[in-house]
Amino acid sequence: MTKRARPGPVESYIDSTQEPARTRLRALAEAIRAVAPDATERIAWGLATWHRGEHLIHLGAFKHHVGIYPGPAAIVAFADQLSAFKTSKGAIQVPHGARLPLALVRRITRWRLQQAAQEAANEGPKRRPAARATRRARPLPEDIAAYNAALSDRERATCAALAGHVTAALPEAEGKVWHGHPVWFLEGNPVVGYSTHKGTTRLLFWSGQSFDEPGLSPVGKFKAAEARFSPAGDIDPRALRRWLAKSRSVQWDYKNVAKRKGVLERLR
């Protein structure tokens, strides 16, 4: 008796989702495969991913929509064809009640293949930053994975490295997108998060001014401090691990600052 082939990572991801997202993701996956049959299928940032030299496109399942993540450049290039959908920096949301834009997804995938080939020819082999940190980290929450997937390649590499360090150092922390950016909480108190702006990634520690770390700059009116990075190679892993350890042991009570009418008290 012939054994049934084990499903690949993308099929396993799709099988794990709920209807109607499951059927819709299968149709989108077939549209991508029709154009990029040689692309490697994998899971990256918690999303179904097609890779050829770089991540080409991601798919994700959500309660009210499916997400398509071809990157910021594709959103700009196809803006006139995406007017019917909600888009953000590198993401397309297709509500479950809307018709799937299968032909458009094929065009975008073909465009991404051409873009990736051109970038590879111009730049040569790419570095894979911070592989050690991300390999040890647990999977990211879906909303953080979607945030990362919508970034440019450089921003995504930096944020993936930071998220890997955070989840490895603070495995008990709850991560989610909060006020538009990934943030990790310990017992409901925000301790660390990051955001991106014009190619720069800002790593914020809510109690960072009390860490006594020269690599962190004070920000805001309370006790927060930040570090800023451009490419992921700017990250000092030793310093980052030290900051993350202090984020657990040194905390100010931001969770209850509103109840105390703006008065911030130290927890530990």
Side-chain angles (χ1 to χ4, degrees):
M1 183 175 179
T2 304
K3 288 186 177 180
R4 185 177 179 183
R6 181 180 297 178
V10 165
E11 285 303 316
S12 295
Y13 171 84
I14 294 174
D15 288 344
S16 72
T17 64
Q18 301 295 316
E19 294 290 1
R22 185 187 304 141
T23 297
R24 294 169 71 77
L25 287 177
R26 283 179 180 150
L28 289 166
E30 289 307 310
I32 295 169
R33 289 169 180 149
V35 176
D38 298 327
T40 300
E41 297 185 7
R42 59 177 65 166
I43 302 301
W45 302 295
L47 302 169
T49 301
W50 281 259
H51 181 98
R52 189 170 179 181
E54 64 181 59
H55 292 326
L56 301 171
I57 192 167
H58 312 264
L59 298 177
F62 299 91
K63 184 175 181 180
H64 300 294
H65 70 276
V66 289
I68 305 168
Y69 304 91
I75 299 299
V76 173
F78 290 86
D80 60 334
Q81 301 175 51
L82 292 169
S83 58
F85 304 103
K86 182 179 179 180
T87 60
S88 59
K89 190 172 184 179
I92 307 162
Q93 291 187 13
V94 182
H96 290 323
R99 183 177 179 180
L100 288 174
L102 299 178
L104 177 56
V105 168
R106 287 191 289 269
R107 290 195 295 273
I108 290 174
T109 304
R110 188 177 296 109
W111 186 87
R112 285 290 292 118
L113 281 167
Q114 294 169 350
Q115 184 193 41
Q118 184 62 48
E119 288 182 359
N122 292 340
E123 299 177 12
K126 293 186 176 182
R127 289 181 61 196
R128 298 179 63 189
R132 290 182 184 176
T134 56
R135 204 176 294 137
R136 292 194 300 267
R138 58 188 173 124
L140 291 178
E142 282 189 356
D143 54 352
I144 295 180
Y147 176 94
N148 287 356
L151 301 174
S152 67
D153 289 345
R154 175 174 289 190
E155 290 172 332
R156 190 184 306 129
T158 303
C159 289
L162 292 174
H165 280 286
V166 171
T167 55
L170 302 174
E172 75 276 32
E174 176 196 4
K176 61 183 178 181
V177 172
W178 187 55
H179 296 298
H181 305 290
V183 177
W184 281 262
F185 298 77
L186 289 172
E187 298 179 355
N189 199 43
V191 292
V192 61
Y194 57 74
S195 59
T196 59
H197 182 66
K198 294 183 178 180
T200 298
T201 301
R202 174 194 188 208
L203 180 68
L204 181 73
F205 290 93
W206 268 254
S207 301
Q209 291 184 35
S210 299
F211 293 178
D212 192 25
E213 289 283 348
L216 295 174
S217 302
V219 62
K221 65 179 183 178
F222 291 119
K223 299 296 182 180
E226 68 176 13
R228 298 196 177 202
F229 310 98
S230 292
D234 287 351
I235 297 171
D236 180 342
R238 289 186 180 180
L240 181 51
R241 286 193 292 269
R242 190 170 65 247
W243 300 343
L244 287 165
K246 290 184 178 181
S247 75
R248 178 189 286 114
S249 61
V250 179
Q251 285 188 43
W252 289 80
D253 188 9
Y254 284 89
K255 182 172 69 172
N256 295 306
V257 69
K259 292 181 182 178
R260 296 193 179 104
K261 297 181 180 180
V263 177
L264 192 63
E265 293 186 1
R266 186 158 179 168
L267 291 172
R268 54 178 72 95

